[in-house]
Amino acid sequence: MIPMVVLGTILALGGGLACNSSDDDEDSVSSNGLNLSPGSFHVGAGVVTNVLFSASGGTPPYAWSVQTAALGSLVATGDKAIYTCNANAGQNFVTVTDHATNFVSATIVHD
């Protein structure tokens, strides 16, 4: 069994657990008034964890996507999304798009 590492504050969302990024990760990224936090997140090699992303600004409702499902999965509700990292190495992107088709992406690095 691979241990789960919890970084930051534990939050409840949709019956699951998520965590905020560590202090050395980028706080947020923005484009056209749409904000995504955290803007980046680093995960150690072989670590499985959950990351809570939050969207704000722009024009709700929001649509969420993940670029590479082989590196992690995404469960989203409204302005929140939980990205579950698996133990594979690589770089992934979580993107939020608002109703006006503005989008912004966060980078998750699995090293």
Side-chain angles (χ1 to χ4, degrees):
M1 174 186 274
I2 299 172
M4 178 174 271
V5 175
V6 178
L7 304 171
T9 307
I10 296 175
L11 303 171
L13 174 67
L17 292 178
C19 63
N20 290 327
S21 65
S22 62
D23 291 338
D24 62 340
D25 293 317
E26 188 176 331
D27 290 335
S28 66
V29 288
S30 300
S31 178
N32 295 318
L34 179 60
N35 306 301
L36 179 57
S37 178
S40 67
F41 192 85
H42 290 86
V43 179
V47 174
V48 175
T49 192
N50 294 320
V51 182
L52 175 64
F53 286 93
S54 297
S56 62
T59 307
Y62 303 111
W64 295 86
S65 63
V66 63
Q67 182 178 9
T68 307
L71 292 176
S73 61
L74 194 66
V75 176
T77 303
D79 64 347
K80 305 277 190 261
I82 298 173
Y83 175 82
T84 302
C85 307
N86 64 32
N88 295 331
Q91 181 172 294
N92 211 351
F93 299 92
V94 169
T95 300
V96 62
T97 304
D98 72 3
H99 187 69
T101 68
N102 297 307
F103 66 92
V104 65
S105 297
T107 305
I108 302 100
V109 177
H110 301 240
D111 19 29

